Amino acid sequence: MIPGHMYSLHDGTEFVFAIERSSGKGIMTARNLKTGEVFAGTYTAMLVDGGVSTGAYQNAWGFNTGTVTTRKPGTRGVGKGILRGNKGTIISISMDIKPSWDYRVNPSGFGEGTDNKGIKYQVQFGGK
């Protein structure tokens, strides 16, 4: 699990937050340090900003002599998840994730959430 924090933007209440290091989907947990409400849920994420392009190249006389294909891996992830609390609070979260291609360094990210009472949250996680 990657450690992090979540904060209520209504009153500044801090939550302990954790998200599973995965390649596409995983679990999230949180605990409200003020009320003791415990949250569990899942998220799904995907890499974006990558792609494939193909181009033609020409010889010195201007004739097309072949093609070249380049691939660019995704540079960041976007994710969405739901946290369900044991006291009835449900929080929908959207995240931006910086992937880590080194198993020794955790991905990092941040996000925003809104609960079923209209309260907004900010999520931060990652690093070593």
Side-chain angles (χ1 to χ4, degrees), residues 8-32:
S8 166
L9 299 180
H10 173 70
D11 62 5
T13 298
E14 183 176 357
F15 293 63
V16 174
F17 177 83
I19 186 168
E20 181 180 18
R21 181 182 179 139
S22 72
S23 56
K25 63 182 183 175
I27 61 172
M28 299 182 297
T29 61
R31 184 170 45 88
N32 184 320

Side-chain angles (χ1 to χ4, degrees), residues 30-47:
R31 184 170 45 88
N32 184 320
L33 296 177
K34 186 175 180 182
T35 67
E37 187 169 11
V38 176
F39 295 81
T42 59
Y43 75 95
T44 302
M46 63 184 162
L47 288 172

Side-chain angles (χ1 to χ4, degrees), residues 59-112:
N59 63 18
W61 298 277
F63 295 105
N64 287 343
T65 57
T67 60
V68 62
T69 300
T70 58
R71 296 181 191 333
K72 178 183 170 198
T75 57
R76 68 183 186 97
V78 294
K80 290 196 176 277
I82 298 284
L83 284 170
R84 292 183 181 99
N86 63 349
K87 296 182 180 180
T89 306
I90 300 170
I91 305 172
S92 173
I93 297 177
S94 297
M95 298 173 285
D96 284 306
I97 304 165
K98 178 184 174 193
S100 173
W101 308 114
D102 183 340
Y103 71 92
R104 297 168 294 186
V105 178
N106 281 327
S108 58
F110 55 87
E112 300 175 338

